[in-house]
Amino acid sequence: MQVLVIGGGGREHTIVWKLSQSPKVEKLYAIPGGPGMKDLAECVSLDTADLEGLARWAEDHHIDLTVVGPEAPLVAGIVDVFKAHGLNIFGPTARAAEIEGSKIFSKELMEKYGIPTAFFKVCENAADAKAYIREKGAPIVIKADGLAAGKGVVVAMTEKEALDAVDEMMGHHKFGAAGNKVVIEEFMDGEECSLLCFTDGRTVVPMLPAQDHKRVDDGDQGPNTGGMGAYAPAPVMTDALKEKTMETIVRPVLAALAKEGRPYSGCIYAGLMIKGDSVKVVEFNARFGDPETQAVLPLLDSDLAEIMYACATGTLREDMVKWNPGVAVCVVMASGGYPLSYPKGIQITGLQEASALPGVIVFHAGTKEVDGQIVTNGGRVLGVTAIDKDIARAKERAYGAVSRIHFEGAHYRQDIAWRALKRLK
Ligand code: AMP
Ligand code: GLY
C-alpha cells in the first residue's frame, strides 16, 4: 500500500512511526510532515486547506489509504472530498466530525439520545451567558462553540473568572467566530480518561484507555493546554468501566450519529469524567488525541495499516486489534511560555542520545530543520515516550530520556502519571 498521512505534529509522527512498521506499507508520505518523520515518510509541502488539491495529489500518487491527523481538515470535509474522488480515507465526514467541530451540536446530540454528560446551556450573547453564570454560581465551565485548538475551555472556580471568560470569548473574540456562541456547563468532579476507539461505522473496537495532563504545570495547576503528557493504559478505567463506557456512551453516540444521517468512521475519541462507577462525557473528538496517541499506539501489537484500511473500507473486525503488555508514558517538552506566547527557532540538542535509549521514542510535535539543525517551532515541541513493564519504570525511563534533551526555556511537567502512581500507594 501507498499511504498518505495528513498533519505534522506529534500525533502524526506517532501514526507514521507505527504505519512504517507494517509489512503492507510500501511507501509512506506525509503532508506536510516534519523533521521527526523524514526517515520514515516522504514529506511533501502542500497546503492542507486545499482539499481538492490534496485529493488530486493523492490520485496522481496512487495513494491506497489516506489517514487524517488533525481536526481542522476533517471538519472542513477532507473525507467527503477524497470519497468523491473514490479514494480510501481514514476519518469521519464533515457532518460526522461535527461531534467535535461544534460543542453545541455535540451536547444537543447527547441530550437527545440520553448519553450521560454535564448539564448545559447554550448562550448566544454575553448578557444571557452572564445571567446564567450568576444564577448557577461557580465552579462552572465556559466553552467556545467552535474549534479553538483545545484551548477554548475555561474551568472557572469563581464567578468572576467565569464572567471574565465570557468577556474574552464573546466581547474580545479571543477565539474569533468560534466564540460567537458559548456553552456553559456544570462542573464535573472526578478523574479524566480518554478512550479512543477504531470504528468502520459498524464494528467499534476500543484502544487502551489513556490519561492526558491538560494543565501546564505540576499538580494540575495553571491554564489548560493541548496536553502536557499522557500514559496508557490508565488504571482509572477498569474493565467494568470500559464495558459501561462502550455500552452507555460509545455505541450509543455512533448509533445516534448514524440515525441522524451522519454515519461515523475513523477514530472516535471519548473524553470522559470518572467518579466512582459513574462515567460522563466531557467531550468527543473526531480524531486521535494528542498526546494520548504517543502513549497508546506504541503499545499496539497489531498492524495499524491493516486496521485503518479496514476502518476506511467497512471491514473492521475485533480480532484485528491486539495490544502488547506493559505501560507507555509520554512527557511533552514545551517551549517556555506555552500556552501563551513563546519563542521559536531555538536549537535542540540531545535528540539522538535520547532516541538511542532502549524503550524510548522521541516524537516531534513542533520542530523544524534549519541548516541541518533541529530547532523549536511550536508550543509543544517534543513528546518523549518510554515503554516499560510498569508505570513507575516507564515514567523513570521517560524522564531519563527527557534529561538528555536540552533547549533554552524548555518546560515540562515532572509529574506525568501521578494519578496512576498514587493508586499504587
Ligand atoms: P474540552 O475541550 O471540552 O475537553 O475541555 C478541556 C478540559 O476542560 C477538559 O479536558 C477538562 O479538564 C476540563 N473540562 C471541560 N468540561 C468540564 C466540566 N464540565 N467539568 C470539569 N472540567 C471540565
Ligand atoms: N489531548 C487532548 C486532545 O487531543 O484533544
Side-chain angles (χ1 to χ4, degrees), residues 109-245:
L109 188 82
M110 286 187 261
E111 185 176 53
K112 180 168 170 190
Y113 289 88
I115 295 167
T117 188
F119 74 70
F120 70 102
K121 182 175 162 80
V122 176
C123 294
E124 303 204 4
N125 63 65
D128 279 359
K130 289 183 177 180
Y132 187 69
I133 288 166
R134 290 199 179 95
E135 177 196 326
K136 291 286 172 188
I140 195 157
V141 180
I142 325 294
K143 301 186 175 183
D145 175 42
L147 291 179
K151 289 155 211 143
V153 173
V154 173
V155 180
M157 297 318 270
T158 65
E159 204 171 289
K160 177 168 187 313
E161 260 179 87
L163 297 171
D164 288 349
V166 170
D167 280 334
E168 287 214 322
M169 286 182 202
M170 305 189 94
H172 306 155
H173 302 289
K174 189 170 173 192
F175 304 111
N180 285 352
K181 295 182 191 172
V182 298
V183 174
I184 301 186
E185 229 179 72
E186 165 198 13
F187 171 79
M188 293 185 287
D189 187 24
E191 185 170 340
E192 280 182 76
C193 181
S194 307
L195 189 65
L196 283 61
C197 305
F198 292 112
T199 181
D200 66 350
R202 276 175 302 190
T203 302
V204 53
V205 189
M207 300 184 214
L208 294 176
Q211 191 168 64
D212 188 10
H213 298 66
K214 290 265 183 186
R215 304 296 185 116
V216 74
D217 291 322
D218 283 19
D220 296 331
Q221 300 297 308
N224 265 331
T225 67
M228 293 300 293
Y231 63 93
V236 62
M237 178 65 86
T238 59
D239 286 347
L241 276 173
K242 186 153 89 179
E243 197 48 42
K244 183 168 180 177
T245 304

Side-chain angles (χ1 to χ4, degrees), residues 33 38 45 97 149 159 181 221 241 252 306 318 363 370 375 380:
K38 77 171 205 265
S45 169
E159 204 171 289
K181 295 182 191 172
Q221 300 297 308
L241 276 173
E306 183 183 67
E318 211 152 321
F363 295 115
V370 178
V375 301
R380 293 188 291 175

